[in-house]
Amino acid sequence: MKVQSVLVAGAGQMGAGIVQVAAQAGLRATMIDVADEFIAKGMAGIEQRLGRAVDKGRLDAAERDATLARITTGLDVSAGADADLFIEAAPETVDIKRPLLERAAAVLRPDALIATNTSSLSVSMLAGFVAGPERFCGIHFFNPVPAMALVEVVRGAATAEGTVAAAREFCETVGKTPITVVDSPGFVVNRILFPMINEAACALAQGVASAADIDTGLKLGANFPMGPLALADLVGLDTTKAILETLERDLGDDRYRPCPLLGELVAAGKLGRKSGAGFFDYR
Ligand SMILES: NC(=O)c1ccc[n+]([C@@H]2O[C@H](COP(=O)([O-])OP(=O)(O)OC[C@H]3O[C@@H](n4cnc5c(N)ncnc54)[C@H](O)[C@@H]3O)[C@@H](O)[C@H]2O)c1
C-alpha cells in the first residue's frame, strides 16, 4: 500500500518533526496529543522551522502555506481514523504506548499500517498490543527529524514483508533513507554509537587525552562531524547512561556498562547542553 496520509500520536520533539516532513512531502498529516497546549507547542515548532526555511530562501511562502494546510490536529485517534499509516511518538513507556496502540488498531482500517518510533522498547513486544501484528513495525526517526536523513525500519517477529516494504517506501517519500533492521536492543545505530561514546568517556577518565583532544581526534582522524563527547552532551548524559544500561541489560553483556565518569557527571547535575555543562562547559 502506498501511504498517502499519516496519523502521528505525540506532538513532541519527534512527533512534530514527523508530521512536518510528511506534510512537506505532500501527504495529509494529522497530529494528536493529550492536550491542546502540547498540540500548540508542536505546531509552533513546525511553523517556526518552516518560517526559517522561507527566510533563508530554501522554501517559498506558498509551499509553506500548502504544507501547513495539509496538517490537521486532534486529541484522539479518531481525528485521523482514515489514515494509511499510524505512527506513535508518545513517551517511552509501555503504560502510555499500550492503550494508544490498542486503540489505533481498533479505530483504523484493518489494512492501515501501524508503527512505533520507539528507541529502546522491543517492537515484537509492542506488536502484542496490535490486532493484526503483521501490519506493525518500527519506524525509528532520528532527532531532529527534519535534518536527519536516516530512518531505521524495524522488523518485529510478526511483521510482514509487505509492511517493511511499505514503511521503507514511506520513508523515501518523506525524503529519508531507510535501513531495515531486525528487532534487537539499540537497533543498528545506537548499538554501535553509544559504546563508542562510552569508550570516549573511559579514555577521558583514564587520562588518555583531554575532552577537547579526544573530540578533535575523532573529528579529524575518523571524519566525524562532531566528537563523541560533544555528541553525548547534545543527547544528554542522563539519556546516554540510560541507553547504555538498556544495552547492557538487554544484550546481557557488560561491555556496554556505562563508564563510572558518566554516572558521576549525572549525579553532579552535569547533564550536557541542557543543564549548561557536561563534558564541556556551555555557560
Ligand atoms: N528524542 C529523541 O532523540 C528520540 C529519537 C528517536 C526516537 N525517540 C522516541 O520517540 C518517542 C517520542 O519521543 P520525544 O522525544 O518526541 O518525546 P516528547 O516528550 O518530546 O513528546 C512526547 C509527546 O507525546 C505526548 N503524549 C503523551 N501521551 C500521549 C498519548 N496517549 N497520545 C498522544 N500523545 C501523547 C506528550 O504530551 C508529548 O507531547 C519515544 O518513544 C522516544 O523513545 C526519541
Side-chain angles (χ1 to χ4, degrees), residues 25-247:
L27 306 186
R28 282 183 295 114
T30 304
M31 178 166 74
I32 61 167
D33 206 299
V34 289
D36 287 328
E37 60 186 290
F38 301 119
I39 297 282
K41 195 164 167 230
M43 282 307 301
I46 293 173
E47 283 164 16
Q48 200 180 48
R49 288 189 292 274
L50 293 176
R52 259 200 316 262
V54 171
D55 293 344
K56 288 184 176 162
R58 288 191 274 109
L59 185 73
D60 62 52
E63 188 49 42
R64 173 199 56 199
D65 295 345
T67 296
L68 291 171
R70 284 189 282 272
I71 301 174
T72 51
T73 60
L75 296 178
D76 182 71
V77 171
S78 56
D82 63 343
D84 298 326
L85 166 65
F86 171 82
I87 304 176
E88 73 76 18
E92 190 76 336
T93 73
V94 177
D95 290 351
I96 293 176
K97 293 189 189 289
R98 177 179 185 154
L100 204 43
L101 291 171
E102 286 172 343
R103 178 146 174 78
V107 171
L108 273 81
R109 294 193 318 270
D111 67 329
L113 301 171
I114 298 184
T116 174
N117 189 50
T118 185
S119 304
S120 66
L121 298 171
S122 160
V123 170
S124 299
M125 179 271 291
L126 293 174
F129 308 134
V130 177
E134 63 286 344
R135 59 178 168 151
F136 181 72
C137 68
I139 299 186
H140 182 226
F141 283 86
F142 288 74
N143 188 13
V145 176
M148 297 294 283
L150 184 73
V151 178
E152 292 178 315
V153 172
V154 185
R155 182 192 288 134
T159 306
E161 260 327 297
T163 300
V164 172
R168 288 186 60 105
E169 191 183 355
F170 161 74
C171 295
E172 283 164 3
T173 301
V174 303
K176 305 300 180 193
T177 301
I179 59 172
T180 306
V181 181
V182 168
D183 185 28
S184 58
F187 308 136
V188 164
V189 173
N190 286 350
R191 178 177 177 149
I192 294 171
L193 182 60
F194 281 85
M196 188 200 65
I197 290 174
N198 202 32
E199 198 57 39
C202 292
L204 177 67
Q206 289 168 12
V208 173
S210 68
D213 279 357
I214 289 171
D215 272 16
T216 298
L218 272 294
K219 278 194 290 189
L220 302 186
N223 245 351
F224 289 176
M226 180 177 217
L229 299 174
L231 179 57
D233 279 350
L234 186 67
V235 171
L237 300 190
D238 48 348
T239 306
T240 298
K241 180 168 171 277
I243 290 171
L244 285 161
E245 284 165 347
T246 302
L247 289 172

